């Protein structure tokens, strides 16, 4: 039998999908060399990016009976805010660079008379939206700039998030947080969201979760060990409490645990991914926790910009020499700060499986919302199958990068 090339790659820890809280969060200068959506006047912090999109739509009075244009290359959390406000999503095509195809937008608008359009700076690469801005103003279509992948950046000197009537961001993609989004209204909305504080329990849990993630990943210096021990103890106590409730462990404390009944979880329903992306109504009305708001303001930003750009450049340099792999974005514009590094691969199923098996949190947007057209000229038709998004954040180290590239090299050839 042929030996799998991946077997020659040394084992490696699981690569973090998103930034991880730690001492490095405060390294380097605090200020970002590129504009950040969080610095925009009047920014509203929300529970998540999807909540921010729903609040933006609701703010402009978009609701039942209205249609909203969305890109045909999407993740489900871009669609569910539209459904949450009761509107109907319609999908427009993207050109080969992932930019909105103006002809497709106009064709869909002629047929559907949309009230709003959402445009995403995919992967963190800023789009020039001047033409679309003019078209939206002319046709009274609300432009929502989705900066979930682009918390930082500018195009032609104009900050990202400045062209839309509203712009949204997703904080955990750039900052070491487990929740949070942001919303900026450029044009005054009909209705401003009124958000309230979360309860004490949620505040404590949010802070504890950050410390737990940082200590488990040994990112908190001398505090990592003692905190790990504390969180291990918490887990053990919780498990004991569960046993006491469920009766799987004898109460006399003997170590002869009764065999727990074997339960085979039923396979998730085929459309579970749609449910997972839905918004919780309670989240629409709540501010993110205190620790989220604190870190959103205090995390040092220069390193985020510099390290993400450096990782992207490193990927670009290596991918040129990889058989069966191509960079979906061949250059990194000076004003862009990447969220991920997108690759187009000849054997996507094989490479994606190899990456995930090796603990690399590559993403693939292959679940298209029902009703998304599969147009041959639309890059989304190809990307939903062949494009993989590789992590490109500030808390990857050179070993993580080497591991990811080694898996790609072995699986793609
Ligand atoms: C382009 C884009 N927009 C919006 C969202 C929603 O952001 P959040 O996960 O913070 O709700 C995502 C999430 O992955 C996204 O990729």
């Amino acid at each position: 039998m042929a030996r799998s090339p991946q077997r020659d790659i040394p084992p490696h820890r699981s690569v973090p999908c998103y930034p991880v809280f730690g001492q490095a969060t405060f390294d380097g200068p605090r200020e970002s060399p590129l504009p950040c959506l969080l610095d925009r006047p009047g920014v509203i912090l929300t529970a998540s990016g999807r909540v921010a999109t729903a609040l933006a739509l609701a703010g402009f009075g978009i609701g039942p009976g209205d249609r909203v244009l969305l890109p045909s290359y999407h993740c489900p959390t871009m669609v569910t805010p539209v459904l949450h406000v009761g509107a109907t999503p319609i999908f427009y095509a993207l050109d080969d660079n992932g930019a909105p195809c103006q002809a497709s937008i106009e064709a869909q608008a002629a047929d559907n008379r949309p009230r709003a359009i959402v445009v995403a700076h995919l992967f963190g690469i800023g789009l020039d939206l001047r033409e679309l801005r003019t078209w939206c103003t002319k046709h009274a279509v609300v432009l929502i700039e989705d900066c979930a992948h682009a918390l930082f950046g500018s195009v032609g000197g104009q900050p990202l998030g400045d062209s839309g009537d509203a712009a949204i961001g997703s904080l955990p993609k750039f900052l070491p947080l487990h929740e949070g989004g942001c919303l900026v209204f450029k044009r005054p909305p009909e209705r401003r969201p009124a958000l309230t504080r979360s309860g004490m329990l949620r505040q404590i849990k949010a802070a504890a979760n950050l410390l737990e993630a940082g200590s488990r990943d040994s990112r908190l210096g001398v505090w990592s060990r003692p905190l790990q021990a504390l969180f291990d103890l918490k887990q053990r106590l919780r498990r004991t409490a569960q046993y006491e409730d469920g009766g799987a462990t004898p109460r006399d404390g003997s170590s002869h645990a009764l065999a727990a009944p074997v339960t085979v979880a039923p396979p998730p329903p085929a459309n579970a991914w749609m449910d997972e992306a839905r918004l919780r109504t309670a989240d629409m009305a709540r501010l993110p926790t205190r620790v989220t708001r604190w870190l959103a303001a205090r995390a040092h930003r220069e390193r985020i910009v510099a390290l993400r750009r450096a990782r992207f450049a490193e990927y670009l340099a290596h991918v040129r020499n990889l058989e069966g792999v191509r960079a979906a974005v061949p250059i990194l514009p000076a004003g862009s700060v990447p969220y991920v590094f997108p690759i187009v691969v000849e054997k996507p199923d094989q490479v994606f499986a190899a990456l995930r098996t090796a603990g690399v949190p590559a993403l693939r947007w292959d679940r298209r919302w029902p009703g998304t057209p599969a147009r041959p000229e639309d890059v989304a038709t190809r990307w939903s199958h062949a494009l993989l998004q590789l992590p490109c954040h500030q808390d990857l180290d050179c070993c993580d990068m080497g591991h990811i590239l080694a898996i790609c090299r072995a699986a793609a050839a």
Side-chain angles (χ1 to χ4, degrees), residues 6-17:
Q6 281 114 263
R7 286 183 49 184
D8 298 330
I9 296 170
H12 186 80
R13 66 178 185 136
S14 272
V15 175
C17 187

PDB file of all heavy atoms in Angstrom, residues 6-17:
ATOM      1  N   GLN A   6       1.675  12.511   4.336  1.00  0.00           N
ATOM      2  CA  GLN A   6       1.482  13.250   5.594  1.00  0.00           C
ATOM      3  C   GLN A   6       2.100  12.531   6.787  1.00  0.00           C
ATOM      4  O   GLN A   6       2.341  13.119   7.825  1.00  0.00           O
ATOM      5  CB  GLN A   6      -0.003  13.444   5.890  1.00  0.00           C
ATOM      6  CG  GLN A   6      -0.611  14.552   5.087  1.00  0.00           C
ATOM      7  CD  GLN A   6      -1.637  14.025   4.117  1.00  0.00           C
ATOM      8  OE1 GLN A   6      -1.342  13.803   2.967  1.00  0.00           O
ATOM      9  NE2 GLN A   6      -2.820  13.791   4.595  1.00  0.00           N
ATOM     10  N   ARG A   7       2.364  11.220   6.629  1.00  0.00           N
ATOM     11  CA  ARG A   7       2.892  10.451   7.765  1.00  0.00           C
ATOM     12  C   ARG A   7       4.300  10.878   8.128  1.00  0.00           C
ATOM     13  O   ARG A   7       4.785  10.631   9.217  1.00  0.00           O
ATOM     14  CB  ARG A   7       2.837   8.956   7.462  1.00  0.00           C
ATOM     15  CG  ARG A   7       1.410   8.449   7.538  1.00  0.00           C
ATOM     16  CD  ARG A   7       1.346   6.981   7.312  1.00  0.00           C
ATOM     17  NE  ARG A   7       2.320   6.254   8.126  1.00  0.00           N
ATOM     18  CZ  ARG A   7       2.517   4.963   8.047  1.00  0.00           C
ATOM     19  NH1 ARG A   7       1.813   4.241   7.206  1.00  0.00           N
ATOM     20  NH2 ARG A   7       3.409   4.368   8.797  1.00  0.00           N
ATOM     21  N   ASP A   8       4.993  11.530   7.182  1.00  0.00           N
ATOM     22  CA  ASP A   8       6.365  11.969   7.460  1.00  0.00           C
ATOM     23  C   ASP A   8       6.408  13.308   8.189  1.00  0.00           C
ATOM     24  O   ASP A   8       7.468  13.782   8.561  1.00  0.00           O
ATOM     25  CB  ASP A   8       7.160  12.082   6.150  1.00  0.00           C
ATOM     26  CG  ASP A   8       7.243  10.729   5.468  1.00  0.00           C
ATOM     27  OD1 ASP A   8       7.238   9.723   6.191  1.00  0.00           O
ATOM     28  OD2 ASP A   8       7.269  10.695   4.226  1.00  0.00           O
ATOM     29  N   ILE A   9       5.242  13.947   8.381  1.00  0.00           N
ATOM     30  CA  ILE A   9       5.214  15.258   9.031  1.00  0.00           C
ATOM     31  C   ILE A   9       5.137  15.061  10.537  1.00  0.00           C
ATOM     32  O   ILE A   9       4.272  14.333  11.020  1.00  0.00           O
ATOM     33  CB  ILE A   9       3.998  16.067   8.519  1.00  0.00           C
ATOM     34  CG1 ILE A   9       4.173  16.322   7.015  1.00  0.00           C
ATOM     35  CG2 ILE A   9       3.853  17.384   9.278  1.00  0.00           C
ATOM     36  CD1 ILE A   9       2.974  16.896   6.345  1.00  0.00           C
ATOM     37  N   PRO A  10       6.062  15.683  11.298  1.00  0.00           N
ATOM     38  CA  PRO A  10       6.037  15.469  12.752  1.00  0.00           C
ATOM     39  C   PRO A  10       4.729  15.976  13.365  1.00  0.00           C
ATOM     40  O   PRO A  10       4.149  16.940  12.854  1.00  0.00           O
ATOM     41  CB  PRO A  10       7.225  16.286  13.262  1.00  0.00           C
ATOM     42  CG  PRO A  10       7.722  17.078  12.124  1.00  0.00           C
ATOM     43  CD  PRO A  10       7.110  16.594  10.861  1.00  0.00           C
ATOM     44  N   PRO A  11       4.257  15.339  14.453  1.00  0.00           N
ATOM     45  CA  PRO A  11       3.006  15.794  15.077  1.00  0.00           C
ATOM     46  C   PRO A  11       3.159  17.214  15.616  1.00  0.00           C
ATOM     47  O   PRO A  11       4.265  17.645  15.950  1.00  0.00           O
ATOM     48  CB  PRO A  11       2.774  14.786  16.200  1.00  0.00           C
ATOM     49  CG  PRO A  11       4.044  14.054  16.370  1.00  0.00           C
ATOM     50  CD  PRO A  11       4.867  14.224  15.143  1.00  0.00           C
ATOM     51  N   HIS A  12       2.062  17.910  15.712  1.00  0.00           N
ATOM     52  CA  HIS A  12       2.074  19.318  16.116  1.00  0.00           C
ATOM     53  C   HIS A  12       0.815  19.569  16.922  1.00  0.00           C
ATOM     54  O   HIS A  12      -0.200  18.900  16.727  1.00  0.00           O
ATOM     55  CB  HIS A  12       2.083  20.172  14.835  1.00  0.00           C
ATOM     56  CG  HIS A  12       2.237  21.646  15.066  1.00  0.00           C
ATOM     57  ND1 HIS A  12       3.433  22.241  15.312  1.00  0.00           N
ATOM     58  CD2 HIS A  12       1.328  22.645  15.088  1.00  0.00           C
ATOM     59  CE1 HIS A  12       3.258  23.550  15.463  1.00  0.00           C
ATOM     60  NE2 HIS A  12       1.973  23.820  15.343  1.00  0.00           N
ATOM     61  N   ARG A  13       0.884  20.557  17.826  1.00  0.00           N
ATOM     62  CA  ARG A  13      -0.314  20.896  18.603  1.00  0.00           C
ATOM     63  C   ARG A  13      -1.410  21.407  17.656  1.00  0.00           C
ATOM     64  O   ARG A  13      -1.127  21.779  16.508  1.00  0.00           O
ATOM     65  CB  ARG A  13       0.035  21.988  19.602  1.00  0.00           C
ATOM     66  CG  ARG A  13       0.378  23.267  18.871  1.00  0.00           C
ATOM     67  CD  ARG A  13       0.678  24.408  19.797  1.00  0.00           C
ATOM     68  NE  ARG A  13       0.877  25.595  18.996  1.00  0.00           N
ATOM     69  CZ  ARG A  13       0.376  26.768  19.281  1.00  0.00           C
ATOM     70  NH1 ARG A  13      -0.372  26.933  20.339  1.00  0.00           N
ATOM     71  NH2 ARG A  13       0.610  27.802  18.516  1.00  0.00           N
ATOM     72  N   SER A  14      -2.655  21.466  18.158  1.00  0.00           N
ATOM     73  CA  SER A  14      -3.741  22.040  17.371  1.00  0.00           C
ATOM     74  C   SER A  14      -3.443  23.517  17.142  1.00  0.00           C
ATOM     75  O   SER A  14      -3.080  24.233  18.073  1.00  0.00           O
ATOM     76  CB  SER A  14      -5.047  21.948  18.145  1.00  0.00           C
ATOM     77  OG  SER A  14      -5.643  20.733  17.879  1.00  0.00           O
ATOM     78  N   VAL A  15      -3.581  23.947  15.918  1.00  0.00           N
ATOM     79  CA  VAL A  15      -3.301  25.351  15.585  1.00  0.00           C
ATOM     80  C   VAL A  15      -4.517  26.192  15.984  1.00  0.00           C
ATOM     81  O   VAL A  15      -5.646  25.834  15.641  1.00  0.00           O
ATOM     82  CB  VAL A  15      -3.034  25.478  14.066  1.00  0.00           C
ATOM     83  CG1 VAL A  15      -2.862  26.928  13.656  1.00  0.00           C
ATOM     84  CG2 VAL A  15      -1.828  24.637  13.670  1.00  0.00           C
ATOM     85  N   PRO A  16      -4.319  27.299  16.729  1.00  0.00           N
ATOM     86  CA  PRO A  16      -5.496  28.095  17.104  1.00  0.00           C
ATOM     87  C   PRO A  16      -6.166  28.741  15.892  1.00  0.00           C
ATOM     88  O   PRO A  16      -5.494  29.272  15.016  1.00  0.00           O
ATOM     89  CB  PRO A  16      -4.930  29.165  18.058  1.00  0.00           C
ATOM     90  CG  PRO A  16      -3.467  29.185  17.831  1.00  0.00           C
ATOM     91  CD  PRO A  16      -3.058  27.864  17.259  1.00  0.00           C
ATOM     92  N   CYS A  17      -7.488  28.644  15.876  1.00  0.00           N
ATOM     93  CA  CYS A  17      -8.256  29.172  14.741  1.00  0.00           C
ATOM     94  C   CYS A  17      -8.276  30.697  14.782  1.00  0.00           C
ATOM     95  O   CYS A  17      -8.224  31.362  13.764  1.00  0.00           O
ATOM     96  CB  CYS A  17      -9.674  28.619  14.834  1.00  0.00           C
ATOM     97  SG  CYS A  17     -10.686  29.004  13.416  1.00  0.00           S
TER      98      CYS A  17
END
